[in-house]
Amino acid sequence: MRYKKIDIEYWTYPEGDDFKDISEFAKGVDQDYLLTLSKKRTDACGGGLYDLIIKVTEDISLLDLAKSYAEDGVKVAIGYSLKKMV
């Protein structure tokens, strides 16, 4: 199985209050992924400092990458040959 990871970084309110329903969101993420939530407390006192960074990574092997390119190449070749027939 491939290694899949989701990193989410965001700012919270100065009092440290978190977003509404963030725990339900975390529970709803597919369990095949490793989820990391990083919240940072802002000191902007509600001055409009909003930042949400979502990074999704997945390890794939060179063989998987080559297989994907080969499959795409075959699809293009079939599509090109069918276009010539029509």
Side-chain angles (χ1 to χ4, degrees):
M1 184 172 185
R2 295 178 182 169
Y3 175 71
K4 304 175 211 175
K5 183 177 179 184
I6 300 175
D7 292 322
I8 301 176
E9 296 180 9
Y10 61 95
W11 294 93
T12 62
Y13 298 108
E15 301 84 30
D17 297 335
D18 211 346
F19 289 119
K20 180 181 175 186
D21 299 330
I22 193 74
S23 58
E24 286 82 16
F25 168 76
K27 289 177 189 173
V29 173
D30 188 357
Q31 297 300 311
D32 290 339
Y33 289 88
L34 173 64
L35 175 65
T36 305
L37 292 173
S38 302
K39 54 186 170 181
K40 302 172 188 172
R41 188 179 296 180
T42 183
D43 58 355
C45 297
L49 179 61
Y50 299 104
D51 195 11
L52 176 69
I53 301 170
I54 301 174
K55 182 170 65 172
V56 180
T57 57
E58 182 174 359
D59 279 347
I60 60 171
S61 67
L62 189 57
L63 181 62
D64 289 335
L65 183 63
K67 180 181 172 185
S68 174
Y69 279 125
E71 288 173 352
D72 290 344
V74 168
K75 290 175 189 175
V76 168
I78 290 172
Y80 184 70
S81 65
L82 288 176
K83 187 175 180 181
K84 279 183 149 180
M85 287 183 193
V86 176

